[in-house]
């Protein structure tokens, strides 16, 4: 890609908040699974996934196998090392 192509791609990046702030570390895995399901099913409202159980997510037939979108998570707290998690496409 040319520099111009890359710059245009970067301009299209948009961060979308998904769900509420997570305060219990036990809830992180389910939140990640829900976010991933929302990314793999772009034709349905994201809110459809916010209340899904693990069983529902496992039974879900995703529209896409892969997405160019990413799931990003930032973890921070007084007893944590600051950490960013990115689920890259593919």
């Amino acid at each position: 890609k040319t520099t111009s192509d890359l710059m245009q791609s970067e301009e299209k990046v948009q961060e979308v908040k998904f769900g509420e702030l997570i305060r219990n570390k036990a809830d992180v895995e389910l939140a990640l699974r829900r976010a991933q399901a929302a990314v793999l099913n772009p034709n349905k409202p994201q809110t459809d996934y916010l209340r899904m159980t693990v069983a529902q997510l496992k039974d879900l037939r995703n529209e896409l196998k892969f997405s160019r979108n990413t799931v990003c998570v930032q973890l921070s707290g007084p007893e944590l090392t600051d950490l960013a998690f990115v689920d890259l496409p593919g």
Side-chain angles (χ1 to χ4, degrees):
K1 289 186 173 184
T2 67
T3 303
S4 177
D5 290 338
L6 292 173
M7 289 177 65
Q8 288 177 351
S9 294
E10 289 176 12
E11 291 175 8
K12 296 177 185 177
V13 172
Q14 179 183 4
E15 185 175 323
V16 177
K17 182 181 173 188
F18 182 81
E20 297 298 319
L21 180 66
I22 300 169
R23 298 191 185 278
N24 183 344
K25 64 183 177 182
D27 297 333
V28 172
E29 181 181 355
L30 181 55
L32 286 171
R33 289 180 182 275
R34 288 172 173 164
Q36 187 177 44
V39 166
L40 294 176
N41 295 283
N43 293 318
K44 296 178 185 172
Q46 291 182 356
T47 53
D48 287 1
Y49 303 95
L50 291 174
R51 303 274 182 238
M52 284 188 150
T53 65
V54 172
Q56 289 172 318
L57 291 165
K58 285 183 179 180
D59 289 340
L60 187 65
R61 293 187 183 232
N62 295 316
E63 296 171 34
L64 306 174
K65 290 188 182 273
F66 299 98
S67 172
R68 298 187 76 161
N69 295 319
T70 59
V71 174
C72 302
V73 178
Q74 295 176 332
L75 303 174
S76 62
E79 297 176 11
L80 297 174
T81 299
D82 289 349
L83 174 71
F85 171 84
V86 180
D87 181 10
L88 297 172

